[in-house]
Amino acid sequence: EPEVTQTPSHQVTQMGQEVILRCVPISNHLYFYWYRQILGQKVEFLVSFYNNEISEKSEIFDDQFSVERPDGSNFTLKIRSTKLEDSAMYFCASSVIFGGPGEQYFGPGTRLTVT
Amino acid sequence: AQRVTQPEKLLSVFKGAPVELKCNYSYSGSPELFWYVQYSRQRLQLLLRHISRESIKGFTADLNKGETSFHLKKPFAQEEDSAMYYCALGASGTYKYIFGTGTRLKVLA
C-alpha cells in the first residue's frame, strides 16, 4: 500500500538556521498538507497546498515558513530562520479528495529540534 | 470558533471491558469527523470517518449533531488497542483538520 514518506526522521539545528523538511506524498494525490505537534500539545494545521499554490494557511504559518513542490514528487517545508519554539514533530499529509478535507494520509513525521 | 475537545488525556481499561473515547466538537456548519489512531512509534492512521459509518477493528462512532459529539466505542477492548486516539474535524469549504488533544488508551491485561 502506498505511503507518505518524510525525510529526515530527526533534524537537529541551531537557532537562526534554515531547515528544509521533505515529504513525498502518495503519487496520485492532489492535496498536500503540513501539520506540527509540539511535544505534549495537539496536532496543529500549518498549510494546505493544491495546484502549486497555497490553498489555506494558519496563523502559525508566518513569513518564516514556505512550501514548495520542486518537482513531481517532493513537497517541502522550509523554515528560514528557526526559533526554539519551532521544535516540534512535523507531519506531512496528502489527500485525493476535491472540495473538502477528505481522508488525509499522514507521513511518519520529522522531529525538529532547535537548540 | 471551530474546536474539538477530547476531555480525557488517559483512559485505562481492562482487556474485555467496553471502551468509550469521548469527542465533542464546536462548529456551526456541517462537519466531517474522523478518528485517527497512532500506535507507538507509528504514523497517524485513519480509523473511522463518520460518512462511511463502518466498523474498523471493532470500533464504531456515531455522529450526534444534537450533542455535537462523535464518541468512539468498542464493546470489548483488546491489548493491541492501546494507542493514542485523535478526533479530527474537517470543516466544509476548508482543507484542514482541527484535531483534539488526543486520548491515550491503555488496555490492561
Side-chain angles (χ1 to χ4, degrees):
Chain A
E1 189 176 327
E3 290 184 329
V4 176
T5 59
Q6 289 185 244
T7 54
S9 56
H10 190 190
Q11 173 89 47
V12 182
T13 189
Q14 289 192 324
M15 197 166 53
Q17 295 296 304
E18 174 184 285
V19 293
I20 297 176
L21 309 182
R22 290 184 167 79
C23 169
V24 179
I26 294 172
S27 62
N28 64 332
H29 285 189
L30 303 174
Y31 293 85
F32 314 117
Y33 312 84
W34 284 101
Y35 291 83
R36 80 170 186 192
Q37 186 176 30
I38 294 170
L39 188 64
Q41 298 186 26
K42 64 169 75 175
V43 177
E44 299 173 291
F45 170 79
L46 292 177
V47 66
S48 60
F49 191 86
Y50 169 70
N51 200 26
N52 279 321
E53 58 183 34
I54 290 173
S55 49
E56 194 169 0
K57 62 181 180 178
S58 72
E59 59 275 10
I60 302 167
F61 194 88
D62 61 21
D63 292 343
Q64 291 298 313
F65 291 89
S66 62
V67 288
E68 195 179 29
R69 188 152 161 83
D71 53 43
S73 58
N74 289 283
F75 179 52
T76 62
L77 174 70
K78 184 195 289 187
I79 309 175
R80 271 182 256 288
S81 177
T82 50
K83 308 184 188 85
L84 293 175
E85 54 265 35
D86 293 327
S87 295
M89 195 76 165
Y90 287 81
F91 295 104
C92 175
S94 67
S95 69
V96 69
I97 298 294
F98 173 76
E103 177 179 337
Q104 295 182 15
Y105 292 79
F106 284 80
T110 292
R111 180 168 298 286
L112 177 64
T113 303
V114 182
T115 61
Chain B
Q2 300 155 5
R3 189 182 301 123
V4 175
T5 302
Q6 293 181 252
E8 302 134 333
K9 277 194 169 179
L10 172 65
L11 184 65
S12 296
V13 300
F14 284 103
K15 179 179 160 184
V19 171
E20 183 178 51
L21 300 168
K22 291 186 168 47
C23 172
N24 288 89
Y25 67 90
S26 172
Y27 178 56
S28 56
S30 188
E32 279 195 65
L33 284 151
F34 305 82
W35 276 100
Y36 275 81
V37 60
Q38 189 176 33
Y39 300 104
S40 179
R41 301 183 195 284
Q42 294 188 28
R43 67 187 67 210
L44 284 160
Q45 301 170 39
L46 180 68
L47 183 62
L48 284 174
R49 55 187 303 189
H50 89 271
I51 288 175
S52 58
R53 299 185 63 83
E54 53 190 345
S55 171
I56 304 289
K57 299 185 180 183
F59 285 97
T60 58
D62 288 315
L63 177 61
N64 185 323
K65 290 188 178 181
E67 294 182 0
T68 60
S69 68
F70 188 56
H71 301 329
L72 183 68
K73 298 177 185 177
K74 184 169 182 176
F76 307 105
Q78 312 284 330
E79 286 181 76
E80 55 265 31
D81 296 329
S82 295
M84 197 74 182
Y85 290 80
Y86 293 95
C87 184
L89 165 71
S92 60
T94 79
Y95 295 89
K96 65 182 181 187
Y97 283 160
I98 296 157
F99 280 90
T101 48
T103 298
R104 182 168 298 284
L105 174 65
K106 279 191 176 178
V107 181
L108 309 169

